[in-house]
Amino acid sequence: MAGSVNTDFNNSQHNVGVIIPPDRIKRCILFSDKEAVANIKTARQDIFINTKKPQFEDRFKTPKSVFYTLGAAAAAIAVPVLKKAFKK
């Protein structure tokens, strides 16, 4: 036969789209309400402790752009005032 076709279906290269079932089904774990609430409280506490809390200085730090804007406004007001002062 010229140009024989490879029909080895056990080759993983040819198993495109084949669904392989799991070995076993995961069991659901049921907790009592007391255990579930305790687990959630522990998880929340872990998240709360591990999150970074911003320092007071970091929260209320003024951006530099505010100072640049105030400086430019002061210069815009000061230039005409100084020109009038020197003309007299």
Side-chain angles (χ1 to χ4, degrees):
M1 280 179 123
S4 67
V5 178
N6 186 0
T7 57
D8 182 18
F9 295 111
N10 291 326
N11 188 348
S12 62
Q13 185 179 12
H14 299 292
N15 288 340
V16 178
V18 175
I19 298 173
I20 300 172
D23 294 336
R24 59 187 173 95
I25 298 174
K26 292 184 181 180
R27 285 188 169 187
C28 294
I29 300 173
L30 298 177
F31 293 101
S32 68
D33 186 52
K34 188 176 182 180
E35 285 178 304
V37 169
N39 288 345
I40 291 173
K41 281 184 182 179
T42 304
R44 284 185 181 158
Q45 185 177 7
D46 289 345
I47 291 170
F48 181 74
I49 289 172
N50 292 333
T51 56
K52 181 182 176 188
K53 295 174 187 63
Q55 299 294 330
F56 179 79
E57 296 83 18
D58 294 339
R59 288 177 47 212
F60 298 108
K61 189 182 252 186
T62 306
K64 290 182 182 178
S65 62
V66 172
F67 293 117
Y68 293 145
T69 305
L70 290 175
I77 292 171
V79 168
V81 171
L82 290 175
K83 280 185 178 182
K84 273 189 177 181
F86 286 125
K87 280 188 178 181
K88 289 184 180 184

